[in-house]
Amino acid sequence: MAEYFDRYDRFRTNTGTKIIPGLKISVEPTDKRVVYKVGKTRFDKLSDKHYGNPYHGWLILLANPKAGGLEFDIEDGEILRIPFPFKSALERYNYEVDKHIRLYGE
């Protein structure tokens, strides 16, 4: 089972939490693909199935910017990419956070 990862950790300040930028998760050959079914596909379920916990649907959404930022905007039959394996997906996310901070500051 994959452990919980706090995506807000690096964006917290003494006064609150900064807005987390929209980041792109790079594509790797190990990534998985699934067909989205309106009313049946849920990101917590996809996260649980592929990552071993229901908490990382946000990572799947980041990997699919064409889908928008909400599950409700995804069309039936759309192919979704699931960054996989989990550790690699988090490394790619952290790389993008580091790059964002280097470019735009904390």
Side-chain angles (χ1 to χ4, degrees), residues 8 21 28 30 50 57-58 67 71-72 76 88 104:
Y8 300 103
E28 293 293 331
T30 55
H50 298 283
W58 59 269
E71 293 179 45
F72 312 109
D76 194 51
S88 168
Y104 303 105

Side-chain angles (χ1 to χ4, degrees), residues 12-86:
R12 285 196 184 92
T13 66
N14 292 336
T15 59
T17 304
K18 293 180 182 180
I19 295 174
I20 296 178
L23 304 170
K24 293 182 180 179
I25 305 295
S26 63
V27 178
E28 293 293 331
T30 55
D31 292 348
K32 297 185 176 191
R33 305 269 187 301
V34 296
V35 177
Y36 184 81
K37 304 257 189 244
V38 171
K40 294 186 180 189
T41 302
R42 290 184 23 197
F43 280 68
D44 59 335
K45 299 282 187 181
L46 288 174
S47 176
D48 197 35
K49 178 179 179 181
H50 298 283
Y51 300 148
N53 70 63
Y55 306 115
H56 297 94
W58 59 269
L59 198 55
I60 299 167
L61 278 172
L62 281 178
N64 295 280
K66 179 183 165 199
L70 300 169
E71 293 179 45
F72 312 109
D73 294 335
I74 302 171
E75 294 183 20
D76 194 51
E78 186 155 342
I79 305 296
L80 298 179
R81 180 172 62 93
I82 299 174
F84 193 84
F86 183 65

Side-chain angles (χ1 to χ4, degrees), residues 2 7-8 10 48 67 77 82 95 98 103:
R7 69 178 162 151
Y8 300 103
R10 304 219 11 231
D48 197 35
I82 299 174
Y95 173 81
D98 290 340
L103 290 172

